[in-house]
Amino acid sequence: MTVRSPLKYNPLMAKRGKWKSTLGFVLAAAGSAVGLGNIWRFPYVTGKNGGAVFLFFYILAVIFLGLVVMYAELSLGRATQKNPVGAFEKIKPFSPWKAVGFLGVFTGVGILSYYSVIAGWTLYYFYISSLGKFSEKLTEAQIDGIFSSFVSKPFLTLPLLLIFIFITSFIVSRGISSGIERWTGILMPLLFLILLVLSVYSLTLPGASEGLKFYLKPDFSKVNLKMILSAVGQAFFSLSLGMGAMITYGSYLPKEDNLFSSGIEVVAFDTLVAFLAGIIIFPTVFTYGLSPRAGVPLVFKTLPFTFSKLPLGRLFGPLFFFLLTIAALTSTISLVEVATSYLVDEKKIPRPRAAFLVGAVAFLLGIPSALSTSSRFFSRFAFGKSFLDLMDYIWANLSLPLGALLLSVFVGYVWGAEKAAVEIRPDKSRKFPGEDLWIYDIKYFVPLALSVILLFAVLGSS
Ligand code: PHE
């Protein structure tokens, strides 16, 4: 770990912010990656898509698409030292490519809008679990009731959305390293520790073997293209890829840092956290006869069981929801940061104003998502989906893979995969391990696989 002179890299003095250390960057990038995507979204899409088969394709997508695109984003960001729009513009000035950067900026705001709704739910669950709501032994009906009565109250879900976005914008308005690095360092490892404890407990439940069978024993007769698209979407969502978050975070990295090892560390940590979330959820689901296909509310209906039955659950419940809220916060920070860095770099808007502007737009866009559980109109908005589900589908399953597809073509052919590869090398005179494979992957495999999947999924669903 290299620690730099705080004076030299003080974000207030330097023109652009810089991470204080490599570890600070890895933690911040991991903070962006690890969030509700791992603990809320991963179990629910896994459950909806048949369990183990989904996990299988998810892991393939993480290795052959996610890790590869992670390097592409980090190298593009670091080489240009720019926000996503500026990065495309710097390498290919006056070309339509910067539209890909704009797509990222919009996608960030789009995801932020509904993600913060769910983050508001975690905040509420933190609150009620610290009041001891989950300390007695609760029945399924009671747990269901707590959830349903909460989400049907707009006067709770809307202010929670607002609070969450406000906190995010506030932190982002304070600047890059002081805002982001400080939080993640202590809290992420703590979250991981709690997840470990909870998974050990889950494995002792009577339904553990049935849960693990669902989660780990694939039934390949269930494979279909929509499921593969969901696996790819989930991989990009969970790793914060396809919308420029990692371009932005990479742009705050000094030249001498090691992209190669940072990339692997972030991907491995993120995947491990998601995997553990599944280990916690599925045994619980099968022990208490719940449905793995419950969708969006799955985690909120499952984890209270764990806490109401767990010795020390009174303690673990609030701690867990607190850490999950923080994990969500380090992710929303990166979502706000993408659009903010664009407004600051390119439009010369002062950082505080830009951060709150982005937050305000996301809040307005988030209102229908927050109402998706209470208003009839938004709960069955279109295509049989609620507004929130629809947003999630559009941004995560369509926009992220599309952004990643365009980025891979740009890095592979316009910038040149070979140039990007040199940026990734820890030692510029020597290839990094797997460099040839990476070049091949970003030029041929990623664009081809994503085009096929997107095309068929779009055709298939209409
Ligand atoms: N990766 C975050 C999570 O898993 C969500 C996110 C997606 C953040 C895209 C930034 C960009 O919770």
Side-chain angles (χ1 to χ4, degrees):
M1 167 183 155
T2 26
V3 176
R4 293 183 189 84
S5 135
L7 203 72
K8 194 164 161 212
Y9 285 101
N10 186 330
L12 296 174
M13 305 181 71
K15 256 179 88 196
R16 281 185 106 234
K18 280 262 157 54
W19 307 110
K20 290 212 190 65
S21 63
T22 309
L23 185 66
F25 162 74
V26 172
L27 286 170
S32 165
V34 174
L36 297 173
N38 308 61
I39 289 160
W40 157 70
R41 200 174 190 279
F42 173 76
Y44 111 65
V45 288
T46 304
K48 262 194 134 154
N49 285 288
V53 227
F54 180 86
L55 179 65
F56 176 81
F57 282 99
Y58 173 70
I59 289 176
L60 286 186
V62 165
I63 298 172
F64 292 105
L65 299 170
L67 183 59
V68 177
V69 172
M70 175 68 80
Y71 283 137
E73 285 205 18
L74 290 178
S75 60
L76 181 62
R78 200 197 29 199
T80 58
Q81 306 273 305
K82 293 266 185 215
N83 68 86
V85 178
F88 286 96
E89 184 67 6
K90 181 157 179 187
I91 290 195
K92 192 79 185 162
F94 308 111
S95 74
W97 280 103
K98 73 173 178 195
V100 184
F102 279 118
L103 177 68
V105 169
F106 289 123
T107 306
V109 178
I111 294 179
L112 179 69
S113 72
Y114 70 87
Y115 192 96
S116 305
V117 172
I118 312 290
W121 296 1
T122 50
L123 201 57
Y124 180 76
Y125 269 61
F126 162 62
Y127 171 70
I128 58 172
S129 59
S130 43
L131 293 181
K133 254 265 177 344
F134 304 138
S135 55
E136 324 108 52
K137 303 232 182 306
L138 295 171
T139 63
E140 190 188 344
Q142 285 168 316
I143 286 175
D144 249 12
I146 293 173
F147 179 79
S148 320
S149 86
F150 159 58
V151 296
S152 66
K153 295 191 179 89
F155 63 86
L156 285 177
T157 55
L158 281 174
L160 284 164
L161 167 68
L162 185 64
I163 292 172
F164 203 84
I165 292 188
F166 181 84
I167 299 175
T168 308
S169 291
F170 179 75
I171 295 176
V172 172
S173 74
R174 304 287 299 268
I176 188 73
S177 104
S178 54
I180 303 175
E181 263 180 289
R182 198 188 298 160
W183 286 98
T184 29
I186 330 153
L187 296 169
M188 287 292 120
L190 195 59
L191 176 67
F192 187 69
L193 213 70
I194 298 235
L195 287 173
L196 272 181
V197 173
L198 294 181
S199 21
V200 171
Y201 169 74
S202 259
L203 292 174
T204 64
L205 292 173
S209 66
E210 210 185 328
L212 292 183
K213 197 170 144 224
F214 176 81
Y215 185 40
L216 300 176
K217 200 159 172 280
D219 171 2
F220 284 102
S221 65
K222 298 239 169 70
V223 178
N224 63 64
L225 261 164
K226 252 194 139 165
M227 185 210 77
I228 296 179
L229 180 74
S230 296
V232 171
Q234 174 59 25
F236 287 135
F237 186 92
S238 190
L239 295 168
S240 306
L241 294 174
M243 46 76 66
M246 292 300 165
I247 299 179
T248 310
Y249 275 24
S251 77
Y252 301 122
L253 266 176
K255 286 285 178 196
E256 62 275 17
D257 272 13
N258 186 339
L259 282 190
F260 178 72
S261 56
S262 306
I264 293 198
E265 282 160 26
V266 172
V267 170
F269 185 65
D270 183 74
T271 308
L272 196 61
V273 171
F275 181 76
L276 283 181
I279 294 280
I280 297 168
I281 302 285
F282 293 111
T284 313
V285 163
F286 283 91
T287 302
Y288 299 108
L290 310 167
S291 165
R293 304 185 148 267
V296 171
L298 180 70
V299 169
F300 294 93
K301 290 190 176 175
T302 316
L303 284 177
F305 266 109
T306 313
F307 300 125
S308 80
K309 303 279 187 313
L310 184 75
L312 290 184
R314 174 83 178 83
L315 190 80
F316 276 112
L319 193 56
F320 175 83
F321 284 113
F322 171 70
L323 291 170
L324 185 56
T325 306
I326 299 295
L329 188 61
T330 53
S331 299
T332 50
I333 286 172
S334 69
L335 289 164
V336 171
E337 179 61 27
V338 172
T340 302
S341 71
Y342 161 72
L343 294 172
V344 172
D345 286 358
E346 311 290 317
K347 298 282 168 216
K348 308 287 174 249
I349 297 180
R351 177 168 270 275
R353 197 181 304 164
F356 283 106
L357 185 70
V358 173
V361 174
F363 172 69
L364 292 178
L365 192 63
I367 292 174
S369 292
L371 297 180
S372 283
T373 43
S374 52
S375 117
R376 247 167 179 244
F377 179 65
F378 290 120
S379 69
R380 286 211 146 261
F381 187 68
F383 311 108
K385 287 181 195 289
S386 72
F387 191 86
L388 193 153
D389 275 333
L390 197 66
M391 291 295 270
D392 189 41
Y393 187 81
I394 292 173
W395 300 114
N397 283 5
L398 299 181
S399 187
L400 294 183
L402 180 65
L405 165 64
L406 296 171
L407 174 96
S408 66
V409 173
F410 183 80
V411 170
Y413 299 93
V414 181
W415 184 23
E418 289 74 14
K419 277 194 214 139
V422 174
E423 187 72 38
I424 301 167
R425 289 179 191 172
D427 171 357
K428 297 290 170 248
S429 58
R430 238 180 314 135
K431 289 187 175 179
F432 67 84
E435 181 170 317
D436 295 332
L437 182 64
W438 181 80
I439 292 179
Y440 178 85
D441 213 344
I442 198 80
K443 285 179 86 159
Y444 307 108
F445 182 71
V446 176
L448 192 71
L450 289 178
S451 318
V452 170
I453 294 167
L454 273 171
L455 194 70
F456 278 97
V458 171
L459 289 181
S461 62
S462 58

